Amino acid sequence: MTKVTDEHILGLISKGGADLEHGYRLMMECYQQRLYWHIRRIVVAHEDAEDVLQDSLVNIYRGLSRFRGQSSLYTWMFRIATNESLRFLRDRHGENTPFEQVREKLIGTLWQETGPDSEEILVRFQQALLHLPNRQRVVFTLRYYEEMPYEEMARVLDSTVENMKTNYHYASKKIKELMTK
Amino acid sequence: MKPEFDFDMVGKRLPYSVPEGFFEASSRRALEAVERHRRRRRLRTVLLAPVGIAAAAAVALGLFLSTPDVNPVAGEADQYTAIDRFVGSLSDQEVLELDKALSTDYFLSENVF
């Protein structure tokens, strides 16, 4: 079976009409699960991740005809999903709510979402991630879970490679400290 | 002294799960949302077409009459906004029914020749 490539998907999309629909379906098959887990790691609750994923998928469709390939398809989609996730958190918790308060709410959600059978170290690890500021948390998850190159991360977050490296370094250090306690 | 935490103890594992069949259902929902979006866009296009034609006709007439005081496109932006608001206020069912009606209407259908 031929592996579906981004070039194949973009080729279909550029033709428009029924081919665009086909390209969109293929894109969902290839990337939906990765997008979901990326969103889930940011917003924590499954129901919230479900909503943000739907919004992201619709926005991706809306933007397909305008996508010009300045970045990879994967980077572009992750940028949309990341923006939607961060916007969700801002809307849900309020722009001016102190970080500590938001953190405690998300930790509470984490414990609700993970049952007694969940592996304790995995829950503690996610809890440690929630101690990071939102953007730093996104930097860490993109690098750690997606193994995204720093150049691509800089495009996702509209930043610089140096900023991404610095944030990842400090995030890793903070998580190690929290997990070692 | 406690040993430093090793990321390999966790790897990429997460403590979360998803309901069975979630991703298939999610794909279906996304495609349905996309179809709703396309219907609303189609409806907007059909409703806005007369506004654009009227504005173009008014501009042509204004140029013909050479009356500098006449502003032929005054209110056109208001009509676009009003139509956007109208389409936005419709429920999905209403959009579906209106879309069906317009696509079979002899005078409004794209297939009229």
Side-chain angles (χ1 to χ4, degrees), chain B residues 4-78:
Chain B
E4 194 178 67
F5 170 72
D6 182 353
F7 284 99
D8 287 342
M9 293 164 71
V10 169
K12 295 186 183 180
R13 294 176 299 146
L14 293 170
Y16 305 129
S17 62
V18 288
E20 203 170 315
F22 167 72
F23 290 111
E24 292 76 17
S26 175
S27 294
R28 270 198 309 276
R29 271 200 303 278
L31 290 167
E32 285 163 12
V34 157
E35 181 53 31
R36 284 196 299 272
H37 164 73
R38 288 176 62 205
R39 270 195 221 115
R40 283 182 190 267
R41 206 171 57 184
R42 212 160 40 223
L43 185 56
R44 191 180 171 275
T45 304
V46 168
L47 292 174
L48 282 171
V51 174
I53 290 166
V59 168
L61 185 62
L63 286 169
F64 178 72
L65 294 175
S66 296
T67 315
D69 293 337
V70 171
N71 183 354
V73 295
E76 181 195 341
D78 290 340

Side-chain angles (χ1 to χ4, degrees), chain B residues 72-88:
Chain B
V73 295
E76 181 195 341
D78 290 340
Q79 291 180 64
Y80 275 90
T81 309
I83 285 170
D84 279 338
R85 270 206 298 272
F86 167 69
V87 174

Side-chain angles (χ1 to χ4, degrees), chain A residues 30-42 74-75 77-79 81-82 137-150 152-153 156 168, chain B residues 11-12 14:
Chain A
C30 292
Y31 290 112
Q32 188 190 193
Q33 291 200 34
R34 284 173 74 182
L35 287 172
Y36 168 82
W37 288 114
H38 172 61
I39 292 165
R40 181 87 188 258
R41 286 188 285 264
I42 299 172
Y74 154 82
T75 302
M77 289 191 296
F78 266 76
R79 184 181 164 109
T82 300
R137 185 154 58 96
V138 172
V139 169
F140 181 83
T141 60
L142 283 173
R143 183 71 179 169
Y144 185 81
Y145 289 103
E146 295 295 326
E147 297 181 24
M148 191 179 276
Y150 286 115
E152 300 281 334
M153 284 164 60
V156 168
Y168 183 71
Chain B
K12 295 186 183 180
L14 293 170

